[in-house]
Structures are given as structure tokens and as C-alpha cells.
């Protein structure tokens, strides 16, 4: 089934948040370490108004937090109206669990440690935007994240590839990115509704990124018990081709 076959505006934000982000799990902790180390070590071009994008933000603030020290503006780009409303409120009044995510990120990382009040800064830098991953404009953003989106919005492998490439193409040449993927997922349930997945592994992610990205590194993260029907998670880091 295609991305457009699903009623994304019925996505139950509260149920998704409660299941996934009401506590910091060890898999997300490991992903944070990979991504924060990558962005901190990357030579991110400093522009006066550097812009970042998190695509399909859902009810997850931690990808945006990994970009907070490096971007003047962070676009939270989301198709579902429910998630956009949730994000608007959340950046103003973040739930307590996000402090655990931030503490984990900022510990022993100078670029993050230098940020004073992370959530005050996030509320000023984040902008929630209605959008569809398949309609992004190329060459716009200085860095980007996409967590559990390209493989979790469709069952079709052509759409998985197109979504992944559209994400990377929305960045400027050489801009760094981090993307997380469920590994061999068979779909997921949010409240009482089923949402799709395209089952992908490291080779599929590599193949999808090859035409548009360089210096790609894919790391596998152990994850158990979040739900049935998946075999861990993967994190890809790299930069858009010059
Ligand atoms: C599995 S959730 C991932 C949410 C979040 N990034 C996370 O890390 O948990 C997939 C997200 O993609 C959004 N989405 C679905 N189709 C989309 C599209 N065509 N363009 C942008 N976002 C889309 C959904 O509304 C949902 O928020």
C-alpha cells in the first residue's frame, strides 16, 4: 500500500508518544550517542541563518535536539495534523522525559553542554510546518534528520527509496544528515489503527542512499520489546553528495 492510502490525520499522537518516548530507552540512548557524536564532529558549514529540518517529526523531539547547537532554525516537517498540533504545544511545554534525552545528549559533549536552557532555545528555533516528504524542495537545508519515516510510511520499496532520496536532496550539497530506520519491520499499531512499513535492512538503506549521499555509515542498534515484528534499528549518517 502507498503512503497516500493511509489516514495520517488520524495518527494518535498521545498514544504514540506514551509508547515510544515517555521514558528514555537504551536503543534511543545509543542512537543519540551515534548522532550527537556525528553532528558534533562534523564540520557543519556555519551560516548566519543555518536551517535544519526534521522530516516526519511525529511526537519525537530528540532528532531536533541533536541539531539544536548547530542551527538557527529547525523545521519540524509533518504530514499529520494531529502531530503538528502536538508538536506546537510540546515545544512550548515539553514533557519531563525530554530532559532525560537532553541530559544523555549533553553529557560529555561540549557543543551540547554549551547550550544554556535547551528547551527555551528549542521553543525559539523550532517551526512546525505542514508538508509531504515527496514534495520537498531540493537544496534548502544545512543539515537534516529523518527518524523512522521512509520505511514507516509505506509498504512499497519504490516509495521507501524515493522518500529517502527526497530527504537527502532537500539538503544543500555536503550538508550532514542522520536517519534512523526500523530493521525488517512489518508495520506498527498506534492506538487502534495499523500503519505500514516497508521491510528494509542495511543493504536496502545503503542502496537508497547511494545515488544522493556520500561518506555514508550505517550502524545497527539492538532493540527488543518495543513491539513485535521488527529486528532492531539502524542509523545512517553521511552527507549529501557535492
Ligand atoms: C513512525 S512515525 C515516526 C515519527 C518520529 N519521527 C519518530 O522518530 O518517532 C512516521 C511519521 O511520518 C509522518 N508521515 C507520514 N507520511 C508522511 C509524508 N508523506 N511526509 C511527511 N511525513 C509523513 C507520520 O505522520 C508520522 O509522524
Amino acid at each position: 500500500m502507498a503512503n497516500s492510502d493511509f489516514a495520517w490525520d488520524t495518527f494518535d499522537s498521545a498514544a504514540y508518544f506514551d509508547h515510544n518516548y515517555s521514558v528514555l530507552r537504551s536503543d534511543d540512548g545509543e542512537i543519540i550517542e551515534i548522532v550527537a557524536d556525528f553532528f558534533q564532529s562534523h564540520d557543519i558549514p556555519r551560516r548566519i541563518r543555518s536551517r535544519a529540518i526534521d522530516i516526519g517529526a511525529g511526537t519525537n523531539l530528540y532528532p531536533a535536539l541533536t541539531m539544536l547547537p548547530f542551527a538557527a532554525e529547525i523545521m519540524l516537517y509533518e504530514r499529520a495534523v494531529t502531530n503538528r498540533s502536538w508538536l506546537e504545544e510540546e515545544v512550548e511545554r515539553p514533557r519531563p522525559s525530554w530532559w532525560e534525552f537532553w541530559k544523555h545528549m549533553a553529557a560529555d559533549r561540549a557543543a551540547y553542554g554549551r547550550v544554556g536552557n535547551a528547551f527555551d532555545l528549542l521553543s525559539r528555533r523550532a517551526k512546525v510546518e505542514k508538508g509531504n516528504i515527496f514534495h520537498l524542495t531540493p537544496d534548502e537545508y544545512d543539515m537534516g534528520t529523518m527518524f523512522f519515516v521512509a520505511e514507516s510510511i509505506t509498504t512499497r520499496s519504490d516509495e521507501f527509496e524515493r522518500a529517502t532520496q527526497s530527504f537527502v536532496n532537500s539538503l544543500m550539497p555536503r550538508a550532514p544528515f542522520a536517519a534512523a530506520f526500523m530493521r525488517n519491520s512489518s508495520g506498527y499499531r498506534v492506538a487502534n489503527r495499523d500503519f505500514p512499513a516497508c521491510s528494509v535492512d542495511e543493504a536496502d538503506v545503503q542502496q537508497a542512499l547511494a545515488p544522493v549521499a556520500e561518506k555514508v555509515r550505517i550502524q545497527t542498534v539492538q532493540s527488543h520489546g518495543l513491539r513485535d515484528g521488527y529486528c532492531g534499528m539502524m542509523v545512517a549518517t553521511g552527507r549529501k553528495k557535492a
Side-chain angles (χ1 to χ4, degrees):
M1 290 175 81
N3 178 247
S4 56
D5 292 329
F6 290 85
W8 294 103
D9 283 342
T10 66
F11 199 98
D12 187 325
S13 314
Y16 186 80
F17 170 84
D18 284 346
H19 187 69
N20 292 286
Y21 302 117
S22 54
V23 294
L24 170 61
R25 295 192 318 272
S26 61
D27 45 14
D28 285 320
E30 198 177 331
I31 293 173
I32 283 171
E33 285 171 30
I34 293 168
V35 175
D37 284 345
F38 170 72
F39 282 142
Q40 183 173 259
S41 69
H42 200 93
D43 188 18
I44 296 168
R46 296 281 168 175
R47 296 203 307 162
I48 293 173
R49 286 210 54 79
S50 54
R51 299 174 75 214
I53 185 166
D54 178 44
I55 294 184
T59 67
N60 187 359
L61 291 189
Y62 87 75
L65 289 171
T66 64
M67 298 190 283
L68 188 60
F70 313 104
E73 186 174 278
I74 305 175
M75 210 59 77
L76 304 177
Y77 189 86
E78 184 35 73
R79 177 168 181 162
V81 65
T82 48
N83 289 340
R84 291 197 303 275
S85 307
W86 189 96
L87 287 163
E88 299 272 12
E89 285 180 24
E90 195 70 8
V91 293
E92 295 304 326
R93 283 174 296 282
R95 284 168 175 73
S97 59
W98 296 119
W99 288 95
E100 296 303 313
F101 288 77
W102 175 256
K103 271 195 275 173
H104 192 71
M105 209 174 289
D108 302 326
R109 283 186 192 86
Y112 295 85
R114 279 196 289 273
V115 174
N117 185 331
F119 293 95
D120 182 47
L121 192 62
L122 184 70
S123 73
R124 285 184 277 121
R125 294 193 169 174
K127 307 252 176 316
V128 179
E129 185 171 311
K130 177 180 180 177
N132 185 326
I133 193 168
F134 298 110
H135 303 155
L136 284 161
T137 309
D139 300 331
E140 262 206 62
Y141 297 96
D142 299 292
M143 64 192 304
T145 50
M146 176 184 71
F147 277 39
F148 311 115
V149 176
E151 84 298 359
S152 295
I153 59 170
T154 179
T155 63
R156 285 172 40 173
S157 51
D158 64 322
E159 284 196 328
F160 158 73
E161 286 203 2
R162 207 148 53 81
T164 303
Q165 291 167 8
S166 178
F167 159 57
V168 176
N169 272 329
S170 73
L171 308 177
M172 304 283 282
R174 295 196 187 85
F177 67 82
F181 304 88
M182 299 301 282
R183 191 170 180 282
N184 290 335
S185 171
S186 57
Y188 55 107
R189 183 159 257 255
V190 181
N192 56 356
R193 282 185 184 268
D194 290 319
F195 288 96
C198 172
S199 176
V200 296
D201 63 14
E202 290 79 355
D204 298 306
V205 173
Q206 187 78 52
Q207 181 179 312
L209 287 170
V212 289
E214 59 190 21
K215 304 202 172 191
V216 172
R217 181 167 183 210
I218 299 170
Q219 297 176 71
T220 308
V221 171
Q222 299 294 320
S223 172
H224 306 283
L226 182 58
R227 57 177 168 76
D228 292 336
Y230 76 112
C231 284
M233 299 173 175
M234 297 171 285
V235 186
T237 52
R239 63 183 202 183
K240 183 177 172 180
K241 273 190 176 167

